[in-house]
Amino acid sequence: MVVGFNHNIRYKGELFHVQTEDSGIANPHIITLLYRGGTILASAKTSYADIIKTEQLELVVESIMKEQHKEMMRRLKNGEFDARIFPDGAPACAEEPAAKEPPPEKQSPPAEQAPKQQSAPAAKVIPPAQSANRSLDEVILDYLITGEDK
């Protein structure tokens, strides 16, 4: 059984953490949180109470968790949270240092904080960085989002 996923990602020069957890059959919810410096910037919650008796529930829940986790990373990369993250405006061209973060890992501790805000500002689409200037995090995120090796 997968309890959760964690992924550190650098976006516009800032380090973010995406955490997705399954609350278990007693409380059938999948919760994804987006953090920056310990502050929750966004959350997503999906109930799977309606499919609790599905065969191979663990596989189905893991699939939902992966998709919800990737969707939060897509929302970050697409600039949906830029107004909240960069209230004075997003940096025009933040240099991305070489990424040293480990790949996503499965984790076990449960979430301890409730999300501060549930809604997100209007989406702002940010074009992907040129491949020569992309950090490892950007390459991994693109791969997770598109499944393509660019």
Side-chain angles (χ1 to χ4, degrees), residues 11 73-79 126 128 138 141-142 145:
Y11 172 68
M73 290 190 289
R74 284 186 200 106
R75 291 172 65 194
L76 172 65
K77 184 177 178 190
N78 288 336
I126 304 295
E138 291 173 320
L141 180 60
D142 282 344
I145 293 172

Side-chain angles (χ1 to χ4, degrees), residues 71-111:
E71 180 61 25
M72 184 64 78
M73 290 190 289
R74 284 186 200 106
R75 291 172 65 194
L76 172 65
K77 184 177 178 190
N78 288 336
E80 186 172 331
F81 310 112
D82 281 5
R84 189 176 313 159
I85 297 167
F86 309 109
D88 298 326
C93 184
E95 283 294 318
E96 300 287 335
K100 301 281 186 209
E101 292 81 23
E105 59 186 63
K106 295 178 181 179
Q107 58 91 41
S108 58

Side-chain angles (χ1 to χ4, degrees), residues 5-119:
F5 297 102
N6 284 298
H7 192 110
N8 291 325
I9 183 166
R10 192 166 297 280
Y11 172 68
K12 293 188 176 183
E14 297 282 333
L15 185 62
F16 296 88
H17 182 79
V18 178
Q19 178 182 50
T20 300
E21 298 177 336
D22 173 16
S23 299
I25 293 176
N27 185 20
H29 292 97
I30 296 167
I31 299 171
T32 300
L33 301 171
L34 172 65
Y35 294 91
R36 182 180 71 174
T39 301
I40 298 172
L41 299 173
S43 66
K45 183 177 181 181
T46 302
S47 171
Y48 60 91
D50 57 332
I51 61 167
I52 202 86
K53 295 185 179 180
T54 300
E55 288 185 32
Q56 298 184 334
L57 179 63
E58 289 182 20
L59 294 175
V60 174
V61 169
E62 184 174 340
S63 175
I64 295 169
M65 290 172 68
K66 285 180 182 175
E67 186 54 41
Q68 186 168 300
H69 191 81
K70 288 189 290 186
E71 180 61 25
M72 184 64 78
M73 290 190 289
R74 284 186 200 106
R75 291 172 65 194
L76 172 65
K77 184 177 178 190
N78 288 336
E80 186 172 331
F81 310 112
D82 281 5
R84 189 176 313 159
I85 297 167
F86 309 109
D88 298 326
C93 184
E95 283 294 318
E96 300 287 335
K100 301 281 186 209
E101 292 81 23
E105 59 186 63
K106 295 178 181 179
Q107 58 91 41
S108 58
E112 297 178 9
Q113 295 179 328
K116 292 181 178 177
Q117 296 178 340
Q118 294 293 325
S119 64

